[in-house]
Amino acid sequence: MSKVVVVTSGKGGVGKTTSTAALGAALARSGNRVCVVDFDVGLRNLDLVMGAERRVVYDLINVANGDAKLAQALIRDKRVETLSLLAASQTRDKDALSEEGVARVVAELRGLFDYVLCDSPAGIERGALLAMRFADEAVVVTNPEVSSVRDSDRIIGLLDSKTLRAEQGHRIQKQLLLTRFDAGRASRGEMLGVADVLEILSIPLLGIIPESEEILRASNVGAPITINAATSQAGRSYEDAARRLMGETVPMLVPGEKKSLLNRILGRRAA
Amino acid sequence: MSLFGLFKPRAATAPVARERLQILLAHERVALGPDNLIAILRDEILATIAKHVEIAPEAVKVTMGQQGAVSTLEIDVDIPTEKITASLARQMPTKAVA
């Protein structure tokens, strides 16, 4: 059974595209057929983060408007063979995407893939609403920071009212992916903690991704972190989140919870 | 800054963030929620009044507040005196706060 998952947040710059690429690659590496779809028309970036920016010929709008076949527009990943990308259009204006067109593309993708990950643009405009429109599930990407949490709350409201599933009276599963988390700062009371964000947004937790230098390194070279640095802390956190998305039960570790220098010295002495 | 200030831990700001968010979102969820209760109430109140009195859409203000466990709904309607006919004026106060 095919699952359509929207990766959304409301606020920009919180890690939607990075997370779409990382989760998509992790799901594909576990043997799933995965397509990551960029809905950010005019400001596409998933192709760049995936390292496929020079291979884009046809895009989502071409397929939605019937100017190209889906098979012509899908870009097969060179590292993971079960992973494909459908890029957004860089030149057309964002109103070029029609709901009927997106409905047709998503329906066709369902027939070809186990997971379709829709990378939503920021904001609550047409592109963001179309990205979530046909989703079965949502990953809400949030930073432990007031403006991100507020915008995520708004997006959760839209997921519950503007998606096709919600309109048909079904529940849409929403899970929180807390990104750029710094356990040290949270423990010192400088940053909202995991429990704080969970209590405020009251949706289940999909994963906690630590603030990590590896993320930038991965996007620099155009490889999802779950391919480029799968064993790094952030890479492992994304792997765990992907396994939870597949329905596995994986213990939730708070990444980067470092022992203080004093504890480390004492710990070493005791050992 | 005194020398001691360097070693004093800075006050935790996360609890402030948490409290501000909780207060803000309590309001926004009511105002922007899926049912959009306030907008619906406002439109229906406006339509009802407009049946009897000529009224500008901005004249109806609906706000929802929360104090502890009690939610309050405040409806504030401004009706210009000259728009009210003599008969209506006797029955309806110019300003109704419920």
Side-chain angles (χ1 to χ4, degrees), chain A residues 4-134:
Chain A
V4 178
V5 182
V6 61
V7 180
T8 186
S9 70
K11 191 177 184 302
V14 297
K16 283 181 296 298
T17 302
T18 304
S19 298
T20 305
L23 291 174
L27 288 168
R29 274 165 52 113
S30 326
N32 295 289
R33 293 167 300 163
V34 180
C35 184
V36 290
V37 186
D38 193 347
F39 274 82
D40 204 344
V41 174
L43 289 171
R44 75 170 179 221
N45 274 319
L46 188 55
D47 55 334
L48 195 54
V49 170
M50 299 277 297
E53 69 277 12
R54 294 168 63 179
R55 300 173 62 204
V56 180
V57 182
Y58 295 109
D59 56 55
L60 174 63
I61 290 184
N62 294 141
V63 183
N65 292 349
D67 303 328
K69 291 204 174 92
L70 182 59
Q72 293 175 292
L74 286 175
I75 302 166
R76 178 90 59 93
D77 192 90
K78 286 185 169 162
R79 299 148 298 208
V80 187
E81 62 169 343
T82 52
L83 179 61
S84 292
L85 161 74
L86 182 54
S89 171
Q90 183 70 329
T91 50
R92 306 279 283 273
D93 76 296
K94 57 186 192 302
D95 296 325
L97 210 50
S98 71
E99 184 173 330
E100 300 71 38
V102 173
R104 253 183 288 114
V105 177
V106 172
E108 204 177 337
L109 288 169
R110 278 183 194 273
L112 298 171
F113 295 97
D114 301 312
Y115 287 92
V116 178
L117 302 192
C118 305
D119 182 21
S120 173
I124 52 172
E125 307 291 315
R126 186 181 172 79
L129 295 178
L130 279 176
M132 69 169 69
R133 182 70 187 156
F134 303 100

Side-chain angles (χ1 to χ4, degrees), chain A residues 145-146 149-150 153-154 157 160-161 188-192 195-196 199-202, chain B residues 10-22 24-25 28-29 32-34:
Chain A
E145 184 269 324
V146 287
V149 174
R150 180 201 212 171
D153 190 77
R154 188 78 196 279
D160 284 333
S161 60
R188 291 194 295 275
E190 295 172 16
M191 181 183 266
L192 285 167
D196 293 330
E199 194 197 324
I200 293 167
L201 295 178
S202 42
Chain B
R10 293 167 73 183
T13 49
V16 181
R18 177 197 157 101
E19 200 187 324
R20 289 176 61 220
L21 273 170
Q22 277 170 333
L24 174 73
L25 294 181
E28 286 192 344
R29 279 173 190 157
L32 305 164

Side-chain angles (χ1 to χ4, degrees), chain B residues 34-91:
Chain B
D35 306 328
N36 214 347
L37 183 63
I38 288 187
I40 294 167
L41 281 174
R42 199 183 151 279
D43 288 350
E44 289 189 6
I45 292 163
L46 183 65
T48 307
I49 296 170
K51 271 190 236 167
H52 306 284
V53 189
E54 201 181 308
I55 184 172
E58 315 81 69
V60 177
K61 291 188 191 76
V62 178
T63 47
M64 209 173 239
Q66 198 160 21
Q67 282 151 344
V70 184
S71 289
T72 58
L73 177 69
E74 192 176 322
I75 302 164
D76 195 342
V77 187
D78 290 325
I79 301 171
T81 329
E82 68 269 21
K83 294 279 167 69
I84 308 177
T85 61
S87 62
L88 269 170
R90 277 197 297 275
Q91 297 162 10

